[in-house]
Amino acid sequence: IGKKGGHRIKRTYWITHPPMSEWGIPYAYSNNVGIPLGVCGQLIAEGKVGSGVNCPEALVDPDLFFAELAKREIMVNYKEESI
């Protein structure tokens, strides 16, 4: 919930990913946890993550993070509505 153009809005986010049969595992949950963690590890190793103690969204560029997820067929979607 926030403001955009002076109006209050709410965004709802969700992810989509390949079916479990394409990932070759019995549960998609393990990839939905492991892949984002692996992406963060990669970004840390590449020096693309801020330093210090803070919440993840303050240290990791969300556009870069979402782009890396998309390379792995995990898409971040959202719906925006006025409230």
Side-chain angles (χ1 to χ4, degrees):
I1 295 179
K3 287 191 175 186
K4 182 178 178 182
H7 300 281
R8 285 180 47 86
I9 62 160
K10 176 176 105 173
R11 278 191 179 175
T12 305
Y13 290 84
W14 69 96
I15 62 167
T16 54
H17 54 76
M20 290 181 287
S21 60
E22 285 184 29
W23 267 351
I25 57 171
Y27 304 104
Y29 182 77
S30 59
N31 277 7
N32 285 327
V33 172
I35 290 174
L37 288 172
V39 166
C40 283
Q42 171 191 328
L43 296 176
I44 290 168
E46 293 173 351
K48 296 179 180 175
V49 173
S51 61
V53 177
N54 213 325
C55 56
E57 56 271 18
L59 299 173
V60 178
D61 175 358
D63 292 330
L64 180 59
F65 180 69
F66 293 161
E68 288 296 326
L69 288 179
K71 288 179 187 177
R72 294 154 177 85
E73 299 184 78
I74 298 178
M75 307 305 295
V76 179
N77 311 283
Y78 71 90
K79 166 178 82 167
E80 186 173 288
E81 55 191 309
S82 297
I83 55 172

